[in-house]
Structures are given as C-alpha cells and as structure tokens.
C-alpha cells in the first residue's frame, strides 16, 4: 500500500511533438496541502486533468489512494473533489438550488450535505440571491462548496484563487486550510503565485516547461534558503582571496558578484570577525549585513529564469 494519496511515475502528456508534461513523478502525502507551482503554460492543469481521468496520459502511471487510476476510475474518482473548469451553474437559480441539481445528479443522499457545504464556504443556505447576482468571490465559493459536497477525501483545485480580490483570497485560503486541518482532507492546489503557495501549502512541487523540478516540504525549502553575509567592499576579488585564506573558505563559501558585492555563505564565520581583518588590510567597507534568500530567489534559481509573482 502506497503511503501517498497521489503518486505518479514519469507521467507524460504530449500534444503532438510538444510535451505538455514530461516525466513528472509527484508524491502527495495524506492530510497535507500540496501546492503545484508554475508559470502560465507550465503544465499544472494538464497534470490535474490526467489525475482526474479527464485526459489520457501519453505515458507513465498514476496511483490514487494506493491504486492505479487506470481501470479503477469508478472506484477512485467518486472520492475525489475537483475544481478545474468553472462548473456550469444556472444564473437564474440560487446557490442552494444549483447545489440541489448537482446533488441529484451525483445521487447524494445526505440531506445535510448542501447546508454543510454552504456553511463551510460561508454562503447562506436560505437566500433569495440568484447566481447571476453573485460576486466573483461568491461564485468561486459556491464552486468550492460543490467540490466538497460529496465529502471527498482528496481535493484537486486548479488555481482556486484566480480572479479573487484580497479579501476573497484570504477567505478561500482560510477554508482550504480548515478543510485540511479540521476535516483531514488531502488537497492539491495549483497556482502561478509563489506567495500564495508559500502561505498555504505544506509541500510544494515546482513545475516549469512541463517538468517537475523540485518537490519538497515548505519547511525544507525554507531551510534551504541560505543565510549569508553580504559585504560591499573596495577590491572585492582581492578581499575574497584574503578572507578565503584567513577563514579557510572554499570557492563556494565566498563569492563575488561582479560588482562591489561579496557574499560569504559559511555561517560559522561571524561578521564581527571579518570586518577587522578587512579594515586592518586597508579595504574600505561600505556595507555589511546578514541576508537570507527568499523563496522568490529560490524559484529563480531552480527554474533558471525570471521570477514569479
Ligand atoms: N489541448 C491542448 N492541445 C495542445 N496543447 C495544449 C493543450 N492543453 C495544453 N496545452 C499546452 O500544454 C502546455 C501546458 O498547459 P497547461 O494548461 O497544463 O499549463 P498551466 O500550467 O495550467 O498554465 P496556466 O497557468 O496558464 O493555466 C502549454 O504549452 C499548453 O499550450
Ligand atoms: Mg492552468
């Protein structure tokens, strides 16, 4: 039995000659929020569509709840809730009426399912407001109510905060967290917004040009983000040489940035020990501080490209 709720092995989807997704091996652990992070066109939706049986992989395997998805769709997918495209709600019905239609289609028997789902996303049960009069945030909340109405164990949400205002984003973030913490759901969300994923996800998969480049817990990622000493000094190359000698630094421990900057990555070396050495050797130091790479820096480094919002 797999320890993962979702596990893929070399999952690939080709569109013609172009790969939409290439050999992605994902691991989603139970009871956690997994954030799939990537720029537009990275392959997030394609991965989710394959996980939901909406599109056939070209190659590779998918296991959900420890079973191969292929051949077990009817057993697995009823326990998965998804938000990929916006559901076709009827504009001239209320939220509750819309959910009733879907409950009937899905043969949901529990009479509490609709009020519970609405309560979860903070929408009223008895309300005269028509779907067409809903704000974008309310529409999105109703869509999420629909994904949890049948009480699935696993939720797959494609960019659930897209198009929401900051208050809507904070709300959606809160109830996604609650679904995980209080109701024990495993949740996979995608986003192209790094700060969103950093705020919400426990585990992060970074995808770029269809390839899964990194998969780590947020905690590990934060630890990886290096702390270092940054100095601005006259003649940085010569200063680097001197410090390397004095403090037994390797080339990787001590790097110049091509300008006046000099970075020291060895944390055992203290800023107060470095400065006197530089000054005694007639270097002028205009800046000395301890820095930390942000997730944004890390994302740039991993994808070898530009940052992400
Ligand atoms: N049906 C399709 N036919 C051909 N190419 C496709 C199809 N669907 C997706 N693609 C291509 O596959 C790549 C991945 O697309 P996908 O929609 O999965 O990315 P995404 O990460 O969800 O992007 P976005 O952030 O814009 O939603 C893109 O280059 C896209 O153009
Ligand atoms: Mg997409």
């Amino acid at each position: 039995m797999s320890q993962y709720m979702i596990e893929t092995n070399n999952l690939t989807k080709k569109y013609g000659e172009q790969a939409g997704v290439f050999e992605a091996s994902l691991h989603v652990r139970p009871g956690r929020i997994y954030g799939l992070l990537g720029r537009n066109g990275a392959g997030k939706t394609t991965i989710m569509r394959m996980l939901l049986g909406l599109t056939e992989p070209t190659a590779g395997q998918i296991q959900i709840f420890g079973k191969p998805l292929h051949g077990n769709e009817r057993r697995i997918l009823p326990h998965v809730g998804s938000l990929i495209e916006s559901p076709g709600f009827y504009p001239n019905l209320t939220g509750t009426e819309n959910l009733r239609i879907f409950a009937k289609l899905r043969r949901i028997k529990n009479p509490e399912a609709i009020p519970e789902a609405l309560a979860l996303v903070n929408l009223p049960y008895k309300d005269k407001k028509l779907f067409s009069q809903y704000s974008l945030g309310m529409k999105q909340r109703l869509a999420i109510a629909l994904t949890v109405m049948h009480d699935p164990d696993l939720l797959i949400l494609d960019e659930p905060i897209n198009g929401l205002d900051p208050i809507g984003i904070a709300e959606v973030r809160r109830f996604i967290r609650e679904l995980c913490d209080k109701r024990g759901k495993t949740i996979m969300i995608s986003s192209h917004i790094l700060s969103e994923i950093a705020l919400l996800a426990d585990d992060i998969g970074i995808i770029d040009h269809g390839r899964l480049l990194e998969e780590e817990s947020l905690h590990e990622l934060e630890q990886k983000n290096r702390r270092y000493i940054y100095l601005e000094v006259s003649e940085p190359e010569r200063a680097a040489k001197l410090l390397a000698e004095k403090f037994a630094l390797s080339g990787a421990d001590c790097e110049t940035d091509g300008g006046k900057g000099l970075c020291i990555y060895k944390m055992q070396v203290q800023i107060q020990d470095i400065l006197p050495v530089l000054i005694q050797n007639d270097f002028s130091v205009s800046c000395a501080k301890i820095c930390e790479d942000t997730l944004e820096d890390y994302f740039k480094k991993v994808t070898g490209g530009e940052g992400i919002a």
Side-chain angles (χ1 to χ4, degrees):
M1 177 82 186
S2 166
Q3 55 176 315
Y4 301 110
M5 293 292 264
I6 302 175
E7 185 175 7
T8 70
N9 180 25
N10 291 333
L11 190 60
T12 299
K13 177 74 188 180
K14 285 191 181 167
Y15 294 111
E17 275 311 289
Q18 260 195 329
V21 173
F22 193 71
E23 295 183 350
S25 297
L26 297 157
H27 305 84
V28 178
R29 295 188 271 176
R32 297 177 66 95
I33 300 180
Y34 184 103
L36 198 55
L37 174 69
R39 300 187 183 94
N40 293 127
K44 306 177 294 294
T45 304
T46 304
I47 288 179
M48 291 182 157
R49 289 179 61 85
M50 287 191 277
L51 296 177
L52 292 163
L54 297 172
T55 188
E56 272 293 305
T58 313
Q61 294 84 37
I62 299 171
Q63 293 217 340
I64 296 184
F65 309 136
K67 292 191 195 81
L69 177 64
H70 190 74
N72 289 308
E73 290 88 345
R74 280 167 179 246
R75 268 196 284 170
I76 291 172
L77 294 176
H79 300 282
V80 182
S82 67
L83 178 61
I84 294 270
E85 277 114 25
S86 35
F89 288 126
Y90 293 98
N92 55 341
L93 298 181
T94 67
T96 302
E97 287 164 347
N98 266 296
L99 291 191
R100 272 200 200 114
I101 291 177
F102 280 92
K104 219 175 229 173
L105 283 171
R106 292 187 188 165
R107 300 196 178 89
I108 295 172
K109 300 271 172 3
N110 175 11
E112 292 306 310
I114 294 175
E116 275 177 10
L118 286 169
L120 186 83
V121 300
N122 209 7
L123 282 177
Y125 177 52
K126 287 183 179 156
D127 191 22
K128 300 244 172 336
K129 204 174 217 178
L130 301 178
F131 181 75
S132 58
Q133 298 162 331
Y134 273 19
S135 68
L136 198 60
M138 291 171 81
K139 287 178 178 166
Q140 190 70 340
R141 280 188 273 156
L142 189 67
I144 294 177
L146 178 62
T147 70
V148 297
M149 199 168 58
H150 59 300
D151 200 24
D153 302 311
L154 173 65
L155 292 174
I156 295 180
L157 309 173
D158 192 14
E159 310 240 13
I161 57 158
N162 235 4
L164 299 181
D165 61 23
I167 294 172
I169 289 173
E171 250 183 31
V172 169
R173 196 191 296 138
R174 181 180 53 75
F175 65 68
I176 288 178
R177 189 75 254 173
E178 266 181 31
L179 278 167
C180 179
D181 292 349
K182 297 203 179 139
R183 305 207 174 194
K185 311 278 183 212
T186 304
I187 303 173
M188 181 190 237
I189 59 165
S190 69
S191 180
H192 61 278
I193 303 171
L194 175 64
S195 54
E196 248 342 285
I197 292 283
L199 276 173
L200 192 55
D202 301 310
D203 299 310
I204 299 184
I206 298 179
I207 177 163
D208 198 44
H209 292 102
R211 289 174 192 272
L212 185 73
L213 301 179
E214 288 269 346
E215 198 181 46
E216 269 170 313
S217 70
L218 185 66
H219 181 69
E220 283 167 331
L221 265 183
E222 281 169 348
Q223 284 204 330
K224 256 196 187 176
N225 286 325
R226 301 190 285 184
R227 288 183 84 231
Y228 59 96
I229 296 169
Y230 176 79
L231 302 164
E232 272 178 23
V233 59
S234 57
E235 297 182 77
E237 294 290 344
R238 201 164 65 83
K241 240 184 214 162
L242 173 71
L243 294 177
E245 260 175 42
K246 286 267 181 202
F247 297 98
L249 304 175
S250 71
D253 287 339
C254 183
E255 285 176 355
T256 53
D257 67 0
K260 280 199 161 179
L262 171 59
C263 298
I264 295 166
Y265 294 104
K266 194 167 176 176
M267 282 324 284
Q268 292 92 321
V269 179
Q270 304 287 317
I271 218 164
Q272 61 268 33
D273 297 332
I274 291 174
L275 292 179
V277 172
L278 290 173
I279 289 159
Q280 278 157 20
N281 286 277
D282 296 330
F283 289 98
S284 73
V285 180
S286 51
C287 173
K289 59 183 177 182
I290 294 179
C291 301
E292 206 156 350
D293 275 354
T294 61
L295 277 180
E296 165 97 32
D297 297 324
Y298 184 76
F299 185 84
K300 277 190 212 167
K301 204 160 61 196
V302 171
T303 61
E306 287 167 21
I308 195 163

